[in-house]
Amino acid sequence: MAAAADRDTKRPARMSVWLDGKAASRGRRAGGDQPSGLDRERITSATVRLLDAEGLAKFSMRRLAAELDVTAMSLYWYVDSKDDLLELASDAVAGELVLPDPDADPDADWRDQLRDLTQGYRALLVRHPWLSPLVGHFLNIGPNWVALSLCVQRLIRRTGLPPERQAGGIAAVFQFVYGFGTIEGHFRKRCAEAGLTQDEYFAHAMGAVGGRAELAPVMDAAREMVEARSGETVDDMRDHDFTSAVDLLIAGIEARTVR
C-alpha cells in the first residue's frame, strides 16, 4: 500500500488534469466498489484546508487520507496523483474571486473594475500563500481560471489598447499583482512563524539593517521615502504602495490607448 500511495511521485508529468477528461467526472470509474462518503469536491475541499493550515511542503496523499479518515488508496478512485489534487485545489480557490462583467454596463469605468479585480487577486494570493507556486506550475485551464482569463481579456479590450499591446497590458498588471501578493503572503507567514506582528518584525528588521555600515548607502538613499511614510503601519505602507503602483499602470495603459 505504501508503494501505491506514493505512486504519484513516479508517474511522468502530464499537461493538466483538465485535459484527460477525468476532471469533469466525480470519480475515475462509474459504479463498482468505490469508497462511500467520498467525492472529488469533498477531497478538493479537504486539500484546500490542509494547504491553508500546513502549507505546500507538508502536503501528501497520506496526510490527506488521514484528514478524511480513509486509506490513501481510496483517493486514487478520484484522482491519479498528488499533482491532480493540487491543480484542482488551485482552481477551487480561484473561484473565490469576484469577477466583474466588463460588457454588462457600457458606462462602467474599466479603471474601477481593474482596480477591484487586482485587489481581489492580491487578497487571494495572500489568503492562500501556497497558491503562487502552483500558478507558475500548472496551465491554469480549470473552469475558474478560464473564467478569470476571459474576464481579464474582455476588461483589457475595454481600455482601448490596440490588440498588439493587450497581452503586454495584461502582463504588466497581473504579473505585478502576482509578485506583490506573493511577497506579501510570504512576509505575513514569516511574521507569524516568528511570533511577531508585522510592525514588530519590520521594526526589528530595520533596526538590524540600520546597524550595518555596508548597507548605509541603501538606507541613506531611502531616507526621503522613509520619512514621507513616517507613522504608517506596515499594512498602511503596503496598501499605499499597491494603490500607487496600480494607478501608475493604469496611467501607462491610458497613454497607449487608441484615441
Side-chain angles (χ1 to χ4, degrees), residues 116-133:
D116 289 343
L117 188 54
T118 57
Q119 286 283 12
Y121 187 33
R122 169 195 169 193
L124 182 73
L125 292 164
V126 172
R127 193 161 57 246
H128 305 291
W130 51 268
L131 179 61
S132 56

Side-chain angles (χ1 to χ4, degrees), residues 139-156:
L139 291 179
N140 307 316
I141 55 173
N144 291 317
W145 282 118
V146 167
L148 172 61
S149 179
L150 287 173
C151 175
V152 169
Q153 290 179 48
R154 291 163 60 200
L155 185 53
I156 290 297

Side-chain angles (χ1 to χ4, degrees), residues 85-259:
L85 277 175
L86 295 177
E87 192 173 4
L88 290 167
S90 169
D91 190 72
V93 297
E96 297 173 10
L97 283 170
V98 177
L99 304 179
D101 186 346
D103 301 325
D105 182 3
D107 296 325
D109 193 327
W110 64 264
R111 301 161 189 81
D112 293 335
Q113 292 180 325
L114 189 61
R115 289 187 180 97
D116 289 343
L117 188 54
T118 57
Q119 286 283 12
Y121 187 33
R122 169 195 169 193
L124 182 73
L125 292 164
V126 172
R127 193 161 57 246
H128 305 291
W130 51 268
L131 179 61
S132 56
L134 299 186
V135 171
H137 184 73
F138 295 116
L139 291 179
N140 307 316
I141 55 173
N144 291 317
W145 282 118
V146 167
L148 172 61
S149 179
L150 287 173
C151 175
V152 169
Q153 290 179 48
R154 291 163 60 200
L155 185 53
I156 290 297
R157 278 199 298 269
R158 287 200 65 219
T159 67
L161 278 174
E164 68 273 14
R165 292 190 182 274
Q166 289 174 11
I170 292 172
V173 174
F174 288 94
Q175 289 189 28
F176 155 73
V177 179
Y178 172 84
F180 194 100
T182 296
I183 292 172
E184 179 180 356
H186 288 176
F187 181 78
R188 289 178 179 274
K189 184 172 183 290
R190 177 174 289 187
C191 294
E193 290 172 347
L196 299 172
T197 67
Q198 293 183 83
D199 294 325
E200 289 169 342
Y201 190 97
F202 179 75
H204 178 74
M206 292 299 290
V209 169
R212 300 297 295 267
E214 67 271 25
L215 297 176
V218 177
M219 299 298 291
D220 290 341
R223 193 173 309 281
E224 188 176 3
M225 286 190 295
V226 171
E227 291 174 352
R229 300 179 346 161
S230 176
E232 291 185 332
T233 66
V234 170
D235 276 332
D236 289 339
M237 289 188 286
R238 189 185 291 120
D239 289 343
H240 179 81
D241 292 346
F242 185 85
T243 300
S244 297
V246 172
D247 285 345
L248 287 170
L249 289 167
I250 288 175
I253 290 173
E254 290 176 320
R256 294 292 187 175
T257 54
V258 177
R259 302 298 180 185

Side-chain angles (χ1 to χ4, degrees), residues 47-56 58 63 130 189:
T47 299
V48 171
R49 288 198 306 273
L50 275 180
L51 290 168
D52 283 343
E54 301 179 0
L56 188 58
K58 293 183 179 179
R63 180 68 187 87
W130 51 268
K189 184 172 183 290

